């Protein structure tokens, strides 16, 4: 008969349940619940220390998450991802995937899921997701599904791919190492890959077709018709568009770009497009929306000062000197060292709208919106001098000259960790430092890479995991599990072990689940006469079924900020996937090891 849990174990179980309820209910912000959890642990263990501990040990346990290597790793990976975004290093891959997405969104998502799954089989899950995050954001910005509807499915594909080999995740290596130390024969890299591949085929339709429908559209521009700007494009000397007819040009351009003026013999084309489509058009045609000499001057100024070039929308008020002038006569290049890329025209009741859009010489009027590029300081100087209103839509131009450097830094951080030369914590921190030193990420902009919500959530999850383990709650729950499983068939035992480890993974940590679950597998195998290997694999698989909460794994927390997810988004999509994978994997283990 199992002994009753200690008061500390009861407290740990109750606190974990309360934290989970707070997250799911959504009555308070995740940051508040996380900080309350840390405070409860600190106050509780200070007032009632664990046996053999002093009160200050409780404070150390509660707050050590803020200095834990897992949190440092996550923050460093966020900085690495920011470096890829600010330099535009992944734009070629994003453009390639965007073409597939534009052909068909469902096909695009399927290709993306398969790519994420394949990479994570041999590369650690976290670096794979860090590489995918900016790509999915770029695809969403270019007309794909909202990032909030793709990041959780992509993360699920990454986690399943990482489950399929012994080197896919550090947790897999931990389980295999513990099992080997306890006497199980060593497993090769692809020892259990066929089992996971078959389970992945069954889970893929749910991840691909159902998950996106269960997730909200959290994009900022959801339901908003983006502004269209009229721009005069200057073709470069080597532009592919020179000499092409209007129909041939239309075949090259993105679908939402309209040629609104005649194609000039001087290499100039008038178009109307959204900001994103305008940028894509300039890239495809090898053109600029401002004089080439002016863009060269702006870029040389950026290279000299290190200030980013930013594109911002400015609204023209009634009491500004720009009213009645056009893009040429306004002379903003000489006055403020900025360039006008395009104009969103307010409707003139006295003039047909087509005439307004087709004429590049139409004078600015109240309500027009300028798309302006320059350093942030110069644009602000212009907005103050001309009494203009800064609108949404600010976007920093990528530092493309540093893109190869950012890719090299990412490779230097990912590859050593993927092959096990150094831990991901060390390589990621070194890569983040390199991003800052080389200027791929500016130190004064590092706050844009980090998420306060993720930081406190990671710290709280680390603290609650330590309390569950050190209070004896995990050991008591495992003993309770062993008593009940003796009456179940082999398939039920495997499913129950997997479910128990899954619960530990989603509420404590996968390391705790591996450390507690692997010895349980050996004990159960001896007591119930079941081969140990399938039980160990049930533990390994359960450690990877971390879809149901954001605290379950660091990749879940990495996407939380990018997708603007709530706790309930994880449970809504993760619980059905967990149930599907437990049933499927348990059945496959029974068939593979003939446990009839």
């Amino acid at each position: 008969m199992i002994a009753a849990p200690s008061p500390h174990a009861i407290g740990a179980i109750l606190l974990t349940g309360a934290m989970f309820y707070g997250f799911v209910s959504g009555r308070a912000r995740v940051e508040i619940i996380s900080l309350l959890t840390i405070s409860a642990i600190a106050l509780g263990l200070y007032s009632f220390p664990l046996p053999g501990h002093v009160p200050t040990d409780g404070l150390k346990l509660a707050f050590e998450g803020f200095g834990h290597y897992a949190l440092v790793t996550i923050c460093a990976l966020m900085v690495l991802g920011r470096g890829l975004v600010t330099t535009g290093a992944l734009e070629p891959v994003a453009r390639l995937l965007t073409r597939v997405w534009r052909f068909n969104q469902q096909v695009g998502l399927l290709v993306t899921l398969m790519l994420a799954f394949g990479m994570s089989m041999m590369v650690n899950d976290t670096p794979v997701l860090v590489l995918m995050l900016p790509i999915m954001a770029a695809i969403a910005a270019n007309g794909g599904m909202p990032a909030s509807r793709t990041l959780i499915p992509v993360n699920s594909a990454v986690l399943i791919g990482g489950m399929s080999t012994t080197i896919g995740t550090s947790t897999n290596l931990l389980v295999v190492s513990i099992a080997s130390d306890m006497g199980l024969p060593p497993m090769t890299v692809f020892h259990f890959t066929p089992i996971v591949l078959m389970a992945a085929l069954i889970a893929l339709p749910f991840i691909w077709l159902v998950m996106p429908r269960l997730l909200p559209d959290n994009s900022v521009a959801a339901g908003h018709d983006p502004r269209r700007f009229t721009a005069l494009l200057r073709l470069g000397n080597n532009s592919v568009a020179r000499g092409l007819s209007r129909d041939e040009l239309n075949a090259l351009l993105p679908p939402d770009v309209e040629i609104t003026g005649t194609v000039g013999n001087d290499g100039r084309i008038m178009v109307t497009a959204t900001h994103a489509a305008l940028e894509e058009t300039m890239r495809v045609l090898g053109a600029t929306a401002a004089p080439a000499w002016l863009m060269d001057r702006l870029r040389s100024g950026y290279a000299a000062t290190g200030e980013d070039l930013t594109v911002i929308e400015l609204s023209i008020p009634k009491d500004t000197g720009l009213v009645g002038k056009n893009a040429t006569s306004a002379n903003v290049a000489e006055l403020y060292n900025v360039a006008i890329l395009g104009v969103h025209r307010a409707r003139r009741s006295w003039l047909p709208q087509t005439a307004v859009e087709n004429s590049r010489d139409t004078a600015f009027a109240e309500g027009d919106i300028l798309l302006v590029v320059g350093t942030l300081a110069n644009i602000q100087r212009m907005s103050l001098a001309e009494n203009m209103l800064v609108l949404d839509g600010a976007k920093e131009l990528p530092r493309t000259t540093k893109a190869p450097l950012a890719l090299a830094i990412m490779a230097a951080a990912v590859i050593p960790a993927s092959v096990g030369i150094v831990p991901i914590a060390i390589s990621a921190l070194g890569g983040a430092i390199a991003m800052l030193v080389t200027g791929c990420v500016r130190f004064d902009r590092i706050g844009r890479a980090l998420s306060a919500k993720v930081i406190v959530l990671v710290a709280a999850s680390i603290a609650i995991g330590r309390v569950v383990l050190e209070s004896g709650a995990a050991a008591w729950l495992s003993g309770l599990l062993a008593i009940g499983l003796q009456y179940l068939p082999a398939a039920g035992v495997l499913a129950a072990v997997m479910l128990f480890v899954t619960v530990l993974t989603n509420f404590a940590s996968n390391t705790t689940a591996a450390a507690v679950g692997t010895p349980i597998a050996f004990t159960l195998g001896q007591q119930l006469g079941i081969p140990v290997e399938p039980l160990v694999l049930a533990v390994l698989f359960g450690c990877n079924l971390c879809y149901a909460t954001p605290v379950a794994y660091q990749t879940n927390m990495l996407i939380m900020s990018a997708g603007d997810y709530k706790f309930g988004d994880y449970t809504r999509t993760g619980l059905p996937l967990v149930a599907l994978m437990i049933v499927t994997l348990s059945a496959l283990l029974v068939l593979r090891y003939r446990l009839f």
Side-chain angles (χ1 to χ4, degrees), residues 170-194:
S170 57
T171 307
N172 295 2
L173 290 171
L174 178 61
V175 172
V176 171
S177 299
I178 294 174
S180 297
D181 292 340
M182 298 184 73
L184 190 71
M187 297 184 186
T188 61
V189 172
F190 300 103
H191 186 83
F192 45 85
T193 301

Side-chain angles (χ1 to χ4, degrees), residues 90 118 170 185 214 223 234 256 276 278 286 334 349 365 400 562 568 571 575 579 595:
L90 295 179
S170 57
L214 299 178
R234 288 88 167 168
D256 54 349
L278 183 60
E334 297 304 325
S349 58
T400 53
T571 56
L575 288 177
L595 302 175

